[in-house]
């Protein structure tokens, strides 16, 4: 039996300081003879959850590559297609380097959208799986048709092959804007999700009333197939482009169907109205989207930084509002990924992050160095010793 007592910290949501006992990888009670780590005056968070990224595309850890795409979606897709072979994408070593960095910042769970198309086959899936195994970090992959399904023959069969190989989720991409047949596109991916018991996560950049209509179609299919709690719409720019009454109607429809949202709050692209959709009961998660890849040069792997971007883009200033962004980077992401035993309660997996701040809002705004990161009860990053002294690792 292995016991560690985190002494003097304040678990997020607690009224004040409360020791946390970790035994055999879980939060427990009734210590026997634990090792003690003094974290007095610091905040304890559940591990961060990266709910939307593209590990297979990353150039992280390699030489700097100047960005070469234009600002259109088609231009970024074309840039990715034309240069990924030249730059060795996907790269297992770069993916592993990024995962290690994510872990050092306190991320314990990742959902990654992995490109599936005839030109790359399942090489991206294999590279991400190998890197995740090397680092020892769980990654839930989404078989992602980055270049369309109907417009890219052969992709549908590969998506099914990926699911047969063990990939946990099926993806979609702009059923109207890319494939130009939203009904057929949604029919295909929902059928795969239903057949294989997979999660479904759909990129939806289509904006305005077109994107809003597609959101209605997604909610309808989710209800009809009983897939509530397993469907996510990523980006959902349309929600940030329609009037308040329309937002309310759509938010209620998504909540009633059990459709979640994932946002990256990148650049100046529309962000779903976070407070409005949460008030309606919609689960919201967040992630980086691309991290130093052919789609853009930005991204650190730090989910506290990403939560800050979400809060900032949402024009949040009050502590209680800023903490909503951290909810998306923790509990919201955990729900989207279907994580069991997540959180700070007794019996939960001991996936924890300690930060030297007094509140969730301060953690988001200041993004301090992580004092301690613990995954499944194992310390994977630490700036404190068991006696309370400072470590440098």
């Amino acid at each position: 039996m292995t016991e560690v007592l985190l002494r003097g910290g304040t678990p997020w949501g607690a009224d004040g300081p409360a020791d946390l006992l970790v035994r055999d990888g879980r939060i427990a009670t009734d210590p026997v003879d634990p090792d003690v780590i003094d974290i007095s005056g610091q905040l304890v968070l559940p591990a961060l959850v990266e709910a939307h990224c593209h590990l297979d595309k990353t150039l992280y850890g390699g030489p700097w590559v100047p960005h070469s795409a234009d600002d259109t979606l088609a231009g970024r897709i074309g840039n990715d297609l034309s240069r990924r072979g030249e730059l060795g994408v996907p790269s297992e070593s770069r993916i592993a380097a990024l995962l290690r960095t994510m872990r050092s910042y306190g991320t314990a769970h990742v959902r990654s959208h992995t490109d599936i198309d005839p030109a790359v086959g399942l090489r991206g899936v294999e590279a991400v799986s190998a890197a995740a195994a090397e680092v020892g970090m769980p990654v839930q992959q989404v078989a992602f048709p980055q270049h369309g399904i109907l417009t890219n023959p052969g992709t549908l069969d590969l998506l099914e092959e990926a699911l047969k190989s063990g990939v946990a989720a099926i993806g979609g991409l702009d059923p109207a804007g890319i494939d130009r047949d939203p009904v057929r596109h949604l029919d295909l991916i929902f059928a795969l999700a239903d057949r294989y018991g997979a999660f479904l996560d759909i990129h939806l950049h289509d904006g305005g009333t077109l994107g809003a209509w597609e959101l209605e179609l997604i909610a309808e299919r989710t209800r009809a197939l009983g897939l509530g709690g397993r469907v996510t719409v990523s980006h959902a720019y349309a929600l940030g482009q329609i009037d308040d009454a329309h937002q309310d109607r759509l938010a209620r429809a998504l909540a009633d169907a059990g459709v979640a949202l994932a946002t990256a709050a990148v650049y100046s692209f529309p962000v779903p109205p976070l407070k409005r959709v949460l008030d309606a009961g919609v689960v919201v998660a967040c992630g980086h989207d691309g991290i130093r890849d052919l789609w853009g040069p930005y991204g650190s792997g730090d989910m506290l930084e990403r939560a800050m971007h979400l809060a900032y883009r949402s024009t949040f200033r009050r502590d209680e509002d800023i903490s909503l962004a951290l909810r998306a980077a923790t509990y919201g992401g955990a729900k989207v990924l279907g994580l069991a035993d997540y959180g700070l309660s007794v019996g939960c997996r001991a996936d924890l992050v300690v930060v030297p701040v007094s509140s969730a809002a301060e953690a988001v705004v200041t993004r301090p160095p992580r004092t301690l990161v613990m995954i499944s009860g194992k310390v994977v990053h630490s700036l404190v010793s068991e006696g309370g002294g400072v470590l440098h690792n």
Side-chain angles (χ1 to χ4, degrees), residues 190-266:
F190 269 90
L192 285 174
D194 190 36
R195 187 181 311 146
Y196 289 94
F199 290 99
L200 180 59
D201 195 327
I202 305 165
H203 281 59
L204 188 61
H205 310 95
D206 290 340
T209 55
L210 173 62
W213 174 64
E214 291 174 89
L215 285 168
E216 292 176 7
L217 295 180
I218 291 166
E220 289 171 1
R221 279 165 171 72
T222 302
R223 282 195 303 270
L225 292 172
L227 294 179
R230 300 186 66 82
V231 177
T232 302
V233 178
S234 288
H235 305 312
Y237 294 159
L239 272 169
Q241 297 174 315
I242 53 180
D243 63 53
D244 291 354
H246 200 172
Q247 287 179 348
D248 285 336
R249 291 197 303 273
L250 262 182
R252 288 194 299 269
L254 294 171
D256 290 346
V259 176
L261 298 173
T263 182
V266 293

Side-chain angles (χ1 to χ4, degrees), residues 23-95:
R23 178 186 296 126
D24 295 334
R26 292 188 177 268
I27 298 173
T29 58
D30 302 322
V32 178
D33 184 25
D35 296 327
V36 176
I37 301 178
D38 185 3
I39 57 169
S40 296
Q42 303 193 61
L43 184 68
V44 184
L45 305 173
L48 302 167
V49 180
E50 164 61 78
H52 184 109
C53 67
H54 296 266
L55 292 174
D56 62 310
K57 288 180 167 67
T58 192
L59 301 170
Y60 190 90
W64 180 257
V65 178
H67 186 62
S68 53
D70 63 31
D71 292 332
T72 65
L73 177 61
R76 293 192 296 276
I77 289 175
N79 186 60
D80 182 34
L81 278 170
S82 66
R83 300 200 64 195
R84 64 186 181 185
E86 162 203 348
L87 294 169
V89 174
S91 164
E92 181 183 332
S93 63
R94 291 172 182 167
I95 296 167

Side-chain angles (χ1 to χ4, degrees), residues 4 13 34 49 99 120 130 164 240 287 306 319 348-349 351 385:
V4 176
V49 180
L99 285 173
V120 75
K164 289 178 178 178
R306 184 48 46 192
D319 276 19
C348 289
R349 284 170 46 115
D351 297 336
S385 69

Side-chain angles (χ1 to χ4, degrees), residues 261-348:
L261 298 173
T263 182
V266 293
Y267 301 102
S268 60
F269 298 125
V271 177
L274 188 56
K275 292 173 71 173
R276 187 180 297 272
V277 297
L278 287 173
D279 286 345
V282 179
V283 173
V284 180
C286 71
H288 279 79
D289 203 7
I291 301 176
R292 297 191 197 176
D293 58 23
L294 289 167
W295 287 63
Y298 296 101
S300 67
D302 183 359
M303 282 302 296
L304 282 185
E305 181 181 83
R306 184 48 46 192
M308 182 275 293
H309 281 283
L310 176 55
Y312 187 87
R313 291 290 316 284
S314 300
T315 67
F316 291 163
R317 296 178 178 86
R318 297 174 62 86
D319 276 19
E320 58 266 33
D321 293 338
I322 295 169
S323 68
L324 296 176
L326 185 55
R327 287 266 168 194
T330 51
Y331 291 101
K335 287 183 179 179
V336 163
L337 269 65
L339 301 180
D341 304 328
Y342 175 90
L344 298 176
S345 301
V346 172
C348 289

